[in-house]
């Protein structure tokens, strides 16, 4: 083993779900900049906003894929295509997900099922599919799941999202324990509010934004996508070879207050 840490991902293939915008886009570009080729899981494969071109401009391959993570048949087909056309998958980033804004007394069964399917069910079954490939080929790999600070602090009005992301963090631990013997590291990142299209509406409310900035107790600012992307690259890299089952909280100090 080298005496110096390596963050080089040259020769690796990464699949990023929800890769078309926000955190997914930033993560995909950061992985490409580190040397990885990219399979881009998109809700519309023909609408990547020019991302594939940006990745190719970095000298990497980019494969846009039709991939609604709540449709397992479609997602499995996308995974199989990525393996066939790019030669395998070494890194899986389960980025796609989201929340339902509703207080506990107002949550419907449909809200509950959608949130669990979007965040927990998709993470488990996509990881399972990719893990089988990694085990069968003996190549091992890295998985990084998108949890949230909502997994460790209570956010009023988002009880099901909090529960779903807590499940993602604990699922990460369980998969790490089961798959470590096959050379698969499984970790998660748990961001605070980040400036993305998905948070734009909420953060446009001056009172909400001010409260959020105040709660980010150490740094007192909203995060940027690249600040999450850097952590994902680290966890996917050889530099993090002894880290597994961990959720890295990226919240500017919110949860330590």
């Amino acid at each position: 083993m080298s005496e110096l840490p390596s963050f080089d991902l040259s020769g690796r293939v990464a699949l990023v779900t929800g890769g078309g915008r926000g955190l997914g886009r930033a993560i995909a570009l950061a992985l490409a900049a580190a040397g990885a080729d990219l399979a881009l899981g998109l809700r519309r494969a023909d609408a990547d906003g020019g991302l594939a071109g940006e990745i190719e401009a970095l000298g990497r391959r980019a494969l846009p894929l039709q991939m609604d993570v709540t449709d397992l048949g479609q997602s499995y087909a996308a995974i199989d295509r990525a393996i066939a056309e790019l030669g395998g998958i070494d890194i899986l980033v389960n980025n796609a997900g989201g929340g339902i804004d509703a207080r506990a007394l107002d949550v419907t069964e449909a809200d509950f099922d959608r949130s669990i399917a979007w965040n927990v069910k998709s993470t488990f079954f996509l990881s399972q599919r990719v893990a089988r490939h990694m085990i069968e080929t003996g190549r091992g790999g890295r998985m990084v799941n998108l949890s949230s600070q909502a997994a460790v602090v209570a956010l009023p009005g988002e009880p099901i999202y909090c529960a779903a992301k807590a499940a993602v963090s604990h699922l990460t631990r369980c998969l790490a324990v089961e798959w470590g013997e096959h050379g698969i590291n499984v970790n998660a990142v748990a961001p605070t509010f980040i400036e993305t299209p998905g948070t734009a509406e909420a953060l446009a409310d001056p009172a909400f934004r001010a409260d959020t900035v105040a709660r980010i107790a150490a740094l007192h600012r909203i995060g940027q996508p690249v600040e999450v992307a850097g952590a994902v690259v680290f966890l996917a890299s050889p530099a993090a070879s002894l880290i597994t089952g961990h959720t890295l909280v990226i919240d500017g100090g919110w949860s330590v207050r």
Side-chain angles (χ1 to χ4, degrees), residues 101 148-150 153-156 158 191-196 198-224 250-257:
D101 291 328
S148 168
Q149 71 171 17
V153 298
L155 300 179
E158 300 188 62
T192 186
F193 287 92
I194 306 294
E195 297 272 14
T196 69
T199 61
E201 182 177 353
L203 293 174
D205 179 340
F208 181 87
R209 188 182 188 93
D211 181 66
T212 298
V213 168
R215 289 177 183 275
I216 299 176
L219 300 180
H220 298 293
R221 63 177 176 82
I222 306 299
Q224 298 299 315
I250 307 170
D251 70 352
W254 182 312
S255 60
V256 299
R257 186 173 180 175

Side-chain angles (χ1 to χ4, degrees), residues 6-255:
S6 172
F7 302 90
D8 183 18
L9 298 177
S10 297
R12 311 289 176 85
V13 175
L15 168 60
V16 179
T17 69
R21 64 177 196 160
L23 290 180
R25 183 183 185 88
I27 290 166
L29 284 170
L31 290 169
D37 294 322
L38 267 297
L40 303 170
L42 307 168
R43 294 199 68 173
R44 284 184 52 200
D46 61 348
D48 71 346
L51 178 59
E54 291 182 53
I55 291 169
E56 290 167 354
L58 293 170
R60 315 303 174 201
R61 293 179 293 170
L63 177 64
L65 298 165
Q66 183 72 36
M67 195 174 188
D68 177 348
V69 297
T70 63
D71 182 335
L72 291 182
Q74 185 182 97
S75 296
Y76 291 163
I79 289 169
D80 293 348
R81 184 181 167 201
I83 292 168
E85 296 192 24
L86 297 177
I89 296 174
D90 303 290
I91 300 162
L92 171 64
V93 181
N94 284 304
N95 167 71
I100 304 296
D101 291 328
R103 289 188 171 270
L105 291 177
D106 299 321
V107 172
T108 66
E109 184 177 3
D111 292 336
F112 185 96
D113 290 346
R114 180 184 174 209
S115 188
I116 296 301
W118 202 1
N119 295 284
V120 186
K121 183 178 178 180
S122 68
T123 295
F124 176 79
F125 283 104
L126 271 59
S127 296
Q128 181 192 66
R129 185 79 166 197
V130 173
R132 284 176 174 154
H133 159 69
M134 291 176 172
I135 293 168
E136 287 170 3
T137 60
R139 62 198 291 167
R142 301 296 171 86
M143 297 184 183
V144 183
N145 300 323
L146 264 290
S147 181
S148 168
Q149 71 171 17
V152 293
V153 298
L155 300 179
E158 300 188 62
I160 306 308
Y161 180 69
C162 290
K165 288 304 188 181
V168 168
S169 286
H170 197 60
L171 177 62
T172 296
R173 300 182 188 99
C174 295
L175 299 183
V177 169
E178 288 203 20
W179 295 341
E181 65 181 300
H182 302 291
I184 301 172
N185 295 50
V186 187
N187 291 291
V189 293
T192 186
F193 287 92
I194 306 294
E195 297 272 14
T196 69
T199 61
E201 182 177 353
L203 293 174
D205 179 340
F208 181 87
R209 188 182 188 93
D211 181 66
T212 298
V213 168
R215 289 177 183 275
I216 299 176
L219 300 180
H220 298 293
R221 63 177 176 82
I222 306 299
Q224 298 299 315
V226 69
E227 295 178 295
V228 178
V232 174
V233 171
F234 165 61
L235 291 172
S237 77
S241 58
L242 197 60
I243 301 174
T244 196
H246 180 71
T247 295
L248 176 57
V249 179
I250 307 170
D251 70 352
W254 182 312
S255 60

